[in-house]
Amino acid sequence: MTYLDPPGGHHGRPAVPSAEATAALARCVSVEPAKFAAAHWGHTPLLSRAAELPDPAGFTDLLSPADADELLSRRGLRTPFLRVAKDGQLVAASRWTGGGGAGAEIGDQVLDERVLEQYASGATLVLQGLHRIWPPLVDFARDLGLALNQPLQINAYLTPAGSQGFATHYDTHDVFVLQVDGRKHWRIHPPVLPDPLEKQPWGGRADEVGATAQGPAALDVVLAPGDALYLPRGWLHSAQAQDASSLHLTVGIRALTRYALVEELLALSAEDQRLRASLPFGTDVADPDAIEPELTETVEALRDWLLRADPGAVAARLRQRAWPAARPAPIRPLAQADALATLDADSRVALRPGLRWQLVPHDSDTVALRLFDRTITLPASCEPAARALLTGTVTRVGDLPGLPDDADRVTLTRRLLREAVLVPA
């Protein structure tokens, strides 16, 4: 369930998607990945009917209405894992949360009887962050994220019959809508601001959004169970449940943009002394004529610096931003501890699914294994064995190359198990 470094590579860059990743994307789009990337990704919506998808049975294996009831009643949810919306507005959490009772002295647990009150009166329930708390969606999010090479999040929307949770709006991230249960009427309109950034939410353009929503829809469709819809960021949408309640999943794709490159380039430009220089004494920054010569010189200095920008430095900063946004597969701490205690040369291990990594020289005596949340330093002599484990070319501890004996092989493997880089195979 992961991508592997190209042989001899050092960048942890996805190469060939796993079968699980490919299957996850195929559940969301009815066209080949290459066509989706060329014709739809970031450009135009795509409606995929259940009959066109590989599993016309739908998405109840990911989250069913019964599963949603389980989450709302027996899992001790707290804010912000639930939001409640009615008539286009969020309902204050104090109206559906409270104390958890004896042994759970907290004040923001979801109260099932209060949730019933809200839902029965027409409110939409939004279960948030399900890619972190519901096992089938934890796995699905990891596989789909690997297929897209992007971090993502998954929410569920439960809407009573005839109700609409939110007014027409746009999202600042791409989404897949997966209709699980019931039917929902979607109206899609073109963007008022193509490719909005997260700092450009629709609320700042509410009048434009409202006016555009009054015009003809680019797509006016009812989603039935098993249907999927892809919407690029910025496309206006509203959705209303039909004659029965509706449950759908929304997969939000938090893709990095070219503006992210601009932000990192500007951050790195602080290394240039010309760009750190103070403005002349007494400059009136409110006077366009006063700042014009300084602006000209600054633009020239910035252009000169950009021509010398180091792609490696930019990539390092983007890695620090992107990798922590997509967690690898969960590990089982107790099973992992048992594996540590019984590890020997005949044990078999594997890379933690979904883990991104870089193995690079550190100095003459060590190599650095970069992970999403930390960097591990290993002796340089361990590099061949570590790479064999990371790429999956070796799974049996006693077969690791480059180390003199099984004791050293077990020591390296135990270190990587303890660091949650590897898991028992």
Side-chain angles (χ1 to χ4, degrees):
M1 299 183 188
T2 188
Y3 292 86
L4 302 179
D5 239 20
H10 293 297
H11 302 293
R13 181 179 300 158
V16 179
S18 67
E20 293 88 350
T22 301
L25 179 59
R27 296 192 70 175
C28 301
V29 298
S30 56
V31 297
E32 292 297 318
K35 182 175 181 180
F36 173 70
H40 297 283
W41 176 251
H43 298 298
T44 59
L46 173 64
L47 172 64
S48 300
R49 292 296 188 184
E52 303 170 318
L53 296 172
D55 188 359
F59 305 105
T60 53
D61 61 312
L62 299 179
L63 182 80
S64 68
D67 295 334
D69 257 345
E70 171 81 10
L71 281 163
L72 291 167
S73 61
R74 293 180 177 273
R75 296 302 179 102
L77 287 188
R78 303 174 63 185
T79 56
F81 285 104
L82 179 68
R83 285 189 302 163
V84 177
K86 187 176 182 182
D87 300 326
Q89 302 292 324
L90 290 176
V91 178
S94 60
R95 296 178 59 184
W96 42 268
T97 60
E105 287 79 8
I106 52 178
D108 66 342
Q109 274 205 312
V110 172
L111 301 180
D112 41 14
E113 62 270 17
R114 298 284 79 83
V115 171
L116 167 62
E117 180 181 285
Q118 293 294 328
Y119 187 71
S121 68
T124 289
L125 310 180
V126 186
L127 289 163
Q128 301 192 127
L130 295 178
H131 59 292
R132 294 290 296 133
I133 62 174
W134 190 248
L137 289 174
V138 171
D139 295 339
F140 180 72
R142 182 184 68 250
D143 293 338
L144 183 58
L146 288 169
L148 299 171
N149 195 24
Q150 304 287 351
L152 51 82
Q153 64 188 50
I154 301 181
N155 297 342
Y157 292 75
L158 299 107
T159 308
S163 295
Q164 177 176 319
F166 296 93
T168 300
H169 65 284
Y170 66 75
D171 295 318
T172 57
H173 50 267
D174 295 37
V175 299
F176 289 113
V177 177
L178 310 179
Q179 187 69 27
V180 177
D181 187 65
R183 295 162 60 85
K184 206 160 194 181
H185 181 199
W186 287 76
R187 287 177 55 83
I188 312 298
H189 293 81
V192 298
L193 177 68
D195 299 327
L197 302 171
E198 289 195 9
K199 62 177 66 177
Q200 298 172 311
W202 74 275
R205 293 172 170 78
D207 291 342
E208 293 177 82
V209 169
T212 302
Q214 297 303 312
L219 189 62
D220 191 323
V221 62
V222 174
L223 294 188
D227 292 344
L229 175 66
Y230 165 71
L231 289 178
R233 58 193 166 106
W235 281 74
L236 308 185
H237 55 277
S238 63
Q240 184 172 22
Q242 298 299 281
D243 53 0
S245 59
S246 165
L247 167 60
H248 77 263
L249 298 170
T250 294
V251 181
I253 304 142
R254 312 303 289 263
L256 290 179
T257 65
R258 286 183 174 174
Y259 191 74
L261 295 176
V262 172
E263 291 176 321
E264 301 305 343
L265 285 166
L266 287 177
L268 288 167
S269 72
E271 299 171 6
D272 191 302
Q273 184 176 353
R274 291 173 66 189
L275 293 169
R276 298 198 307 270
S278 300
L279 296 176
F281 179 80
T283 299
D284 182 358
V285 295
D287 181 358
D289 291 333
I291 67 168
E292 192 278 331
E294 290 301 315
L295 182 61
T296 299
E297 186 169 343
T298 299
V299 169
E300 179 181 344
L302 181 60
R303 182 178 62 247
D304 292 344
W305 184 87
L306 289 174
L307 292 174
R308 305 190 307 272
D310 176 12
V314 176
R317 293 185 65 91
L318 289 174
R319 172 177 57 80
Q320 294 170 6
R321 181 192 292 207
W323 282 17
R327 287 187 59 85
I331 61 166
R332 297 177 179 271
L334 303 186
Q336 196 89 348
D338 287 344
L340 283 166
T342 59
L343 188 71
D344 59 27
D346 288 323
S347 299
R348 292 188 178 273
V349 293
L351 180 69
R352 182 180 180 183
L355 184 71
R356 298 294 302 274
W357 56 271
Q358 291 179 332
L359 188 61
V360 297
H362 184 249
D363 56 35
S364 60
D365 298 320
T366 61
V367 293
L369 176 57
R370 296 171 179 163
L371 306 172
F372 72 99
D373 59 347
R374 63 200 184 283
T375 296
I376 301 169
T377 302
L378 300 170
S381 60
C382 291
E383 193 273 342
R387 186 171 299 281
L389 290 167
L390 294 166
T391 59
T393 56
V394 173
T395 60
R396 181 179 175 273
V397 175
D399 296 334
L400 291 175
L403 295 175
D405 53 42
D406 283 346
D408 287 338
R409 297 182 182 99
V410 169
T411 297
L412 171 63
T413 306
R414 181 175 286 116
R415 170 80 186 281
L416 296 181
L417 279 168
R418 187 179 295 278
E419 296 280 3
V421 174
L422 303 177
V423 293

